[in-house]
Amino acid sequence: MKKLIKICVTTNLEGKPAHVALLFFRVFIALELMIVHGFKKIGIGVNSPEVVPNPLGLPENSNELIAILANLGFPIFIIVGFCTRVATLPILCVTLIGLVVVHVHDSLLIKDVPFMYSVVFLFLLVVGPGNYSIDAIINKKYSK
């Protein structure tokens, strides 16, 4: 019984299971961002491309490019685990602006999506991609 309690209450962030979990987490959350938010920004799966909000008043082309890169380009880096922490930064910028600027007066039902994406990508920023990534390969090569 003691062993079962210990398994239930112990946090283990080392070892293969944690790194496999990070791999799946990283891949699936990035794919979700691309499929649900990225593709519609370029018109895939919808009748016309989504109108991207521009709360900061940037030039329209720049605003759309930032949104497309944050929803389609940088998630590819996260999937393969290349420059993962850096790739989370533009995604976090877009999701946090969505949360605190675009949806500031909306209900929690609307704020939930940018909030959850922000939490998830903040987690990846803090913990990194794990051992099953290009970042880990580069780190091993240069730490010798």
Side-chain angles (χ1 to χ4, degrees):
M1 186 62 161
K2 250 183 171 179
K3 189 174 183 175
L4 178 62
I5 292 171
K6 185 175 180 176
I7 290 170
C8 292
V9 298
T10 302
T11 301
N12 183 6
L13 298 177
E14 294 297 323
K16 191 174 183 175
H19 292 286
V20 170
L22 270 172
L23 170 66
F24 280 98
F25 181 78
R26 195 179 81 226
V27 168
F28 287 117
I29 201 64
L31 282 173
E32 176 79 6
L33 181 64
M34 292 173 71
I35 293 166
V36 175
H37 298 282
F39 290 157
K40 66 182 177 182
K41 286 184 177 48
I42 59 172
I44 296 175
V46 293
N47 292 332
S48 62
E50 178 182 57
V51 175
V52 179
N54 191 356
L56 303 180
L58 299 172
E60 284 303 318
N61 288 341
S62 298
N63 186 60
E64 286 183 20
L65 180 62
I66 291 167
I68 289 168
L69 287 173
N71 288 279
L72 284 173
F74 290 108
I76 294 170
F77 284 76
I78 291 170
I79 288 168
V80 298
F82 178 67
C83 296
T84 307
R85 287 187 165 116
V86 174
T88 63
L89 294 174
I91 297 169
L92 275 169
C93 287
V94 169
T95 60
L96 287 171
I97 289 169
L99 178 64
V100 300
V101 178
V102 176
H103 298 293
V104 68
H105 299 294
D106 291 338
S107 72
L108 289 176
L109 294 173
I110 303 296
K111 287 181 181 181
D112 182 55
V113 173
F115 173 77
M116 293 305 292
Y117 277 116
S118 296
V119 168
V120 163
F121 286 103
L122 184 61
F123 174 77
L124 282 176
L125 175 68
V126 171
V127 300
N131 284 346
Y132 302 112
S133 64
I134 294 173
D135 289 346
I137 295 167
I138 292 169
N139 185 36
K140 284 178 189 173
K141 182 177 180 179
Y142 286 100
S143 63
K144 289 183 181 183

